[in-house]
Amino acid sequence: MVITAKIIQEIEKEAKKYFKGASGCHDWSHVERVRNLALHIGKIEKANLKLLETAVLLHDIGRRDEMKTQGAFCHAMQSGKMARKILPKYGFNQKNIDEIVHCIEAHRYRNEIVPSTIEAKVLYDADKLDCSGAIGIGRAFLFSGNAGSNVMYNGKEKELAKTNKNYTYHKDDSAYLEYEVKLKHIKDKVLTKTGKKFAISRHKFMENFFKTFWQEVEGKK
Ligand SMILES: [Fe+2]
Ligand SMILES: [Fe+2]
């Protein structure tokens, strides 16, 4: 089938409904940034852009339910399930539905599903990259505030990172801990060549940011 601009518009309208009252790190602005980046990377990587854009719009529609239960289930699988119900209404054929749902289910890649198409790889990269760079730092501070930690830093981050425990939703989950545990490894996780270029540049920015951050904490700057 041909995925028209009109269909994309309708899907966007429908997807947006699931973001009412969403937290700042995973609100509609996240989807818009992932869309911008995915289309940029997807064009270079020669992905099917309409298919990719549809998957981007729906990739986190199950996120609100996951946040409510503090991570009790995987939102990628939930979003995939919801997409299977939405897409037939807009005339998507089975092949397209399977391709789009694969992108959605694989975007997290902490579950068992490995991104196996170029569209799935690009969505995965764009989504990961939104946790990186200047935006990534902004989101990390916002997330630790929202998730229950009220410290900007605690000075124990390097130690805590070594324990390999999950500190998400924990009182010690500062932005710098997020960086030590997750954000600094994003550059090693992206899958496409173009994604890698973006990831390295965003990584350098974060590295410099936290270097300056600690110099300021210690009054050296
Ligand atoms: Fe997600
Ligand atoms: Fe996402």
Side-chain angles (χ1 to χ4, degrees), residues 26 30 34 59-60 63 75 107 127:
H26 271 107
H30 162 68
V34 174
H59 83 283
D60 273 340
R63 174 59 98 155
H75 73 273
H107 89 265
D127 191 57

